[in-house]
Amino acid sequence: MDSAFTASSSAVGEAPTSGEHRMGTTIVGVCYNGGVILGADSRTSTGTIRFLLDLHVLWDVLALPWVDSAWGTGNSVADLGMYVANRASDKITSLTDNVYVCRSGSAADTQVISDYVRYFLHQHTIQLGQPATVKVAANLIRLLAYQNKNMLQAGMIVGGWDKYEGGQIFSVPLGGTILKQSFAIGGSGSSYLYALLDHEWRDGMSQEEAEKFVVKAVSLAMARDGASGGVVRTVTINADGVTKNFYPGNKLPLWHEELEPHNSLLDILAGGSPDPMVQ
Amino acid sequence: MASDTGASYGSTLRYKSVERIKAVGKHSLIGASGEFSDFQEILRYLDELTLSDHMWDDGNSLGPKEIHSYLTRVMYNRRNKFDPLWNSLVLGGVKKGPKGEEKYLGMVNMIGTHFEENHIATGFGNHLAIPILRAEWHEDMTFEEAVKLVEKCLLVLLYRDRSSINKFQIAKITTEGATIYPPYSLKTYWGFAHFENPAQGAVGSW
């Protein structure tokens, strides 16, 4: 979830490998008839669009966005080339044994928030004498997100199971709003999923249906969102505990205009088709 | 009091079933537009306020005038610190006073502007609904008349406010208490001949 004009911490002329890490992301959380399933992609990227100080430079950049000389002007310029810092990150983080959170936005901000909330919930569990509820976990996330709204860029989906209310999903977007929902989507890739969810979401799916649906949604978003990619990770939380699944990039379904992967062109040619344009 | 149930994020209609009108204590309703997280925080403040009011256990309870006054102080003080709660709040209620049943309707916004009036609107409603209300509101309307009037405004806002959605909630507050009706949608009218073929008289026009 990147915003358009954010100051980057790295200086002009530095390699695109350094700089603030953000998770242009796709995150999803759904309730099914026994619990919740959280899903996410695994791409962490660096490089942000920075404040444009010099209008002259701006014109150049808009005309030739990918020319290297723009780096050497000495003024802040629009972002050139996002580097994938981690292609297999785990954006679904545990808060307690029964509550997990999907993180999107600034990697640093969401890591720090999760760490604090995990710490608070640990103490809360000791004092309470039983597992924390999903609502409490979500509200602690909200507290940090709301009270520090001017400094944080963190969009989170909290999901879990407790014995009082069963499976629950809470959305905590950028301003610190908290909303309980039967399904939630977030991150930059979520733009591509609003229509899919409107069209295909049903309440009370089975665990298998819900898992397939989450993987489908995340992989469709990954197909179109440049800031999402890698593998799909899912975490299922229900009365029996937590199950984690891993869907590597090469095992995801193929969508429109995507082709079957091969080891080499030579294999295709050896396969006997004389026309290289045949698909 | 009526609102639609949408909450947008920029131009994206992100949440479609959000309750923007809530009961406060026994005598009031609060409706909000603007930043939803700030509205949730205001509801927490009001919870604290009504709770400590209840704990006095003195037979008294805060009425709409008092709640409005409290909110005005909160909003204006935040504005003075250059850290506003980014909302326009509508506060309505009924409480039995020395002169009998006293109805109250007022608003307060993020800069602390506040007033009391017989009809209130926020956002686009100020431009589209207030003129209708000024023409057609009168004293001693029945509940049915009031609903019809408010629906007239909601429909105009649905046609002409880009961020409105066709899912509404109406709430009423009387001495018996607050009732928040379930969400519903209105029928829209598109049957103008000109709508079907707007370019008929002038090709390329709209």
Side-chain angles (χ1 to χ4, degrees):
Chain A
M1 283 181 72
D2 305 327
S3 58
F5 292 101
T6 313
S8 167
S9 44
S10 62
V12 174
E14 233 173 275
T17 48
S18 51
E20 196 193 335
H21 287 218
R22 8 198 71 255
M23 292 171 296
T25 302
T26 309
I27 51 175
V28 175
V30 310
C31 288
Y32 71 95
N33 65 15
V36 299
I37 303 188
L38 300 175
D41 75 308
S42 67
R43 180 172 288 185
T44 306
S45 39
T46 65
T48 58
I49 300 178
R50 295 186 275 183
F51 285 119
L52 294 145
L53 296 178
D54 183 343
L55 224 48
H56 170 74
V57 170
L58 165 60
W59 194 89
D60 279 342
V61 168
L62 288 178
L64 304 158
W66 308 114
V67 170
D68 282 337
S69 62
W71 276 115
T73 59
N75 288 306
S76 289
V77 297
D79 174 60
L80 296 166
M82 289 207 178
Y83 174 66
V84 178
N86 189 348
R87 65 179 168 109
S89 43
D90 188 358
K91 304 183 185 180
I92 310 178
T93 306
S94 71
L95 296 177
T96 67
D97 289 339
N98 58 319
V99 183
Y100 278 66
V101 60
C102 296
R103 304 178 291 114
S104 77
S106 158
D109 287 352
T110 56
Q111 281 172 3
V112 144
I113 291 172
S114 325
D115 285 348
Y116 269 119
V117 172
R118 191 179 308 116
Y119 166 66
F120 295 145
L121 283 173
H122 185 213
Q123 296 191 322
H124 173 64
T125 304
I126 292 169
Q127 289 176 331
L128 199 63
Q130 56 184 32
T133 58
V134 187
K135 196 179 229 179
V136 166
N139 271 291
L140 285 170
I141 296 268
R142 179 210 84 94
L143 211 57
L144 287 173
Y146 181 77
Q147 289 178 348
N148 299 293
K149 62 158 79 187
N150 296 324
M151 293 178 286
L152 293 173
Q153 279 205 21
M156 287 168 289
I157 298 177
V158 182
W161 186 96
D162 60 50
K163 68 183 187 196
Y164 298 107
E165 301 281 331
Q168 299 142 76
I169 295 278
F170 289 90
S171 211
V172 183
L174 238 47
T177 309
I178 184 169
L179 282 170
K180 182 170 186 303
Q181 301 180 283
S182 48
F183 70 85
I185 54 178
S188 57
S190 67
S191 308
Y192 307 99
L193 295 179
Y194 284 99
L196 176 75
L197 273 290
D198 276 346
H199 183 45
E200 294 195 0
W201 166 258
R202 286 169 303 112
D203 258 321
M205 292 195 263
S206 72
Q207 181 171 332
E208 242 190 79
E209 291 176 316
E211 177 97 10
K212 273 211 182 76
F213 185 68
V214 165
V215 174
K216 178 179 176 182
V218 178
S219 78
L220 276 168
M222 280 161 55
R224 289 290 187 175
D225 180 29
S228 300
V231 310
V232 178
R233 296 189 197 274
T234 64
V235 172
T236 307
I237 313 171
N238 51 32
D240 304 323
V242 174
T243 319
K244 298 191 191 177
N245 280 316
F246 173 78
Y247 300 86
N250 51 347
K251 293 280 168 53
L252 296 172
L254 291 170
W255 304 116
H256 182 51
E257 288 180 330
E258 290 179 353
L259 303 172
E260 282 290 340
H262 295 275
N263 283 327
S264 163
L265 171 67
L266 304 172
D267 292 343
I268 303 174
L269 296 176
S273 169
D275 183 349
M277 286 299 283
V278 167
Q279 290 175 9
Chain B
M1 200 182 290
S3 74
D4 73 347
T5 64
S8 301
Y9 183 72
S11 58
T12 301
L13 172 64
R14 195 164 182 189
Y15 305 108
K16 297 200 272 194
S17 299
V18 160
E19 254 192 59
R20 301 197 286 118
I21 304 178
K22 297 278 187 188
V24 182
K26 286 184 270 179
H27 306 286
S28 319
L29 287 174
I30 182 172
S33 75
E35 169 62 35
F36 198 65
S37 63
D38 287 344
F39 178 50
Q40 290 184 327
E41 194 72 358
I42 288 168
L43 291 174
R44 278 167 197 268
Y45 291 151
L46 290 173
D47 266 346
E48 274 180 37
L49 184 74
T50 47
L51 184 65
S52 38
D53 180 47
H54 183 67
M55 295 299 278
W56 281 106
D57 198 22
D58 57 3
N60 243 339
S61 52
L62 291 169
K65 266 200 235 283
E66 291 86 62
I67 309 260
H68 188 210
S69 180
Y70 169 79
L71 286 172
T72 304
R73 290 302 100 217
V74 169
M75 301 298 271
Y76 184 61
N77 273 284
R78 286 289 295 261
R79 168 262 193 192
N80 284 336
K81 295 195 279 190
F82 275 89
D83 181 24
L85 290 162
W86 208 284
N87 296 110
S88 286
L89 304 168
V90 181
L91 211 294
V94 199
K95 191 175 168 198
K96 279 209 174 80
K99 302 175 201 161
E101 244 177 61
E102 282 171 28
K103 293 180 286 193
Y104 185 87
L105 181 63
M107 78 88 96
V108 57
N109 68 11
M110 63 184 270
I111 59 174
T113 306
H114 60 282
F115 54 85
E116 193 200 329
E117 189 43 281
N118 290 316
H119 29 72
I120 303 278
T122 63
F124 257 84
N126 280 307
H127 302 101
L128 299 172
I130 294 285
I132 299 175
L133 294 169
R134 281 181 184 162
E136 299 185 22
W137 182 89
H138 56 270
E139 284 282 359
D140 300 319
M141 291 173 79
T142 63
F143 175 66
E144 287 72 26
E145 286 177 312
V147 169
K148 279 238 127 43
L149 182 56
V150 132
E151 282 180 344
K152 191 170 184 179
C153 297
L154 288 175
L155 203 54
V156 165
L157 287 165
L158 179 61
Y159 289 139
R160 297 296 181 172
D161 180 359
R162 227 184 67 166
S163 59
S164 61
I165 63 166
N166 195 357
K167 194 169 178 187
F168 305 103
Q169 257 193 321
I170 293 195
K172 91 174 167 190
I173 179 93
T174 62
T175 38
E176 280 94 60
T179 316
I180 303 184
Y181 293 97
Y184 72 105
S185 296
L186 289 172
K187 285 194 184 159
T188 53
Y189 183 67
W190 301 90
F192 296 106
H194 182 67
F195 278 14
E196 279 179 64
N197 202 355
Q200 187 165 43
V203 174
S205 78
W206 49 279

